[in-house]
Amino acid sequence: MINKSVNFGLLGLLAALSLNHSVQAQQHQHSPSTPASETNTMPQQQGDQHFLNMMVHHDQKTIKMADLALQKANNPQIKALATQIKTDQTKEIEQLQALYKQLYGTEVPANAMNCMGMGQGQGMGKMMSLESLQNSPNFDQEFLRTMIQHQQMSVNMAKKASETATVPQIRDFAQAIIKTQTAQIQKLQQLSPSES
């Protein structure tokens, strides 16, 4: 008697689970008709927006690092490259902000670093690296090392965006970033002691 009731209980549970599963499966099958375009593009639009946000804030950090190099670097070639990087990144930020406003109708949020999913930990890590760069006993070498890593992050972000962005202007912009910042990395590596 007990065994039968346990069996019925299990059968009922299995039936409920299979029914629930079939409803979910039907929902997944129906979604490609109309809502799929929404469900697929909404996260992607957020991805596009996220990329522009992150790139603006990333470039702002780059400019801060370049400013430090202009103050503290001993090598005149590093200072010249920091000036060029600052000019490039300032222009890039203006273009990113203009594109963001054109696409989304608002300014780039000031707190995007924390609220757009990059995480406070990584944001703090970047601030700490800026502080450790400032206090580095061998500023020139540390600047080259840090800036190479920093610009490589930009290139990686841009590569991903160039493959996944739904907006053609963002794809084009990402490809331009890859070109500009890869060239910057090569110049930084040429000045880096480990590369010579």
Side-chain angles (χ1 to χ4, degrees):
M1 204 58 188
I2 293 167
N3 285 343
K4 280 186 180 179
S5 66
V6 169
N7 285 342
F8 281 126
L10 283 171
L11 285 170
L13 181 63
L14 287 170
L17 284 171
S18 64
L19 180 66
N20 186 31
H21 182 73
S22 65
V23 169
Q24 286 179 345
Q26 283 176 353
Q27 285 172 349
H28 282 297
Q29 285 172 351
H30 289 304
S31 63
S33 53
T34 49
S37 55
E38 290 173 32
T39 52
N40 289 341
T41 56
M42 271 306 288
Q44 200 46 58
Q45 282 172 357
Q46 288 172 353
D48 292 351
Q49 195 170 357
H50 179 78
F51 167 70
L52 294 178
N53 266 316
M54 290 300 99
M55 197 53 77
V56 166
H57 290 273
H58 195 84
D59 285 354
Q60 286 169 344
K61 292 284 190 306
T62 308
I63 289 171
K64 286 179 183 175
M65 289 164 68
D67 281 337
L68 269 181
L70 292 172
Q71 292 167 27
K72 298 185 67 115
N74 294 314
N75 186 336
Q77 288 179 290
I78 290 177
K79 286 194 173 191
L81 184 53
T83 302
Q84 185 194 331
I85 287 171
K86 184 177 178 178
T87 303
D88 289 347
Q89 303 310 106
T90 302
K91 184 180 172 187
E92 190 173 287
I93 287 170
E94 288 167 3
Q95 292 171 334
L96 285 161
Q97 287 172 331
L99 182 56
Y100 188 94
K101 190 159 191 179
Q102 178 194 330
L103 293 173
Y104 307 110
T106 60
E107 304 294 337
V108 176
N111 61 344
M113 213 57 179
N114 291 337
C115 74
M116 288 298 289
M118 194 147 186
Q120 290 186 349
Q122 287 186 3
M124 283 299 291
K126 289 192 175 184
M127 292 309 291
M128 289 300 287
S129 70
L130 202 63
E131 194 177 319
S132 64
L133 173 62
Q134 188 167 3
N135 299 323
S136 173
N138 187 345
F139 178 86
D140 288 15
Q141 192 173 334
E142 186 63 18
F143 169 77
L144 292 169
R145 188 188 67 78
T146 307
M147 187 61 91
I148 287 167
Q149 287 179 352
H150 189 76
Q151 295 302 73
Q152 191 59 57
M153 279 178 66
S154 292
V155 171
N156 293 344
M157 285 161 63
K159 279 180 180 174
K160 187 178 177 186
S162 71
E163 292 166 6
T164 61
T166 57
V167 180
Q169 297 105 301
I170 293 178
R171 280 201 303 272
D172 294 344
F173 207 99
Q175 285 162 2
I177 287 170
I178 293 166
K179 188 176 177 182
T180 304
Q181 299 196 17
T182 299
Q184 288 175 4
I185 290 167
Q186 287 168 350
K187 288 176 183 175
L188 289 159
Q189 285 172 335
Q190 285 165 8
L191 293 172
S192 180
S194 59
E195 296 292 324
S196 56

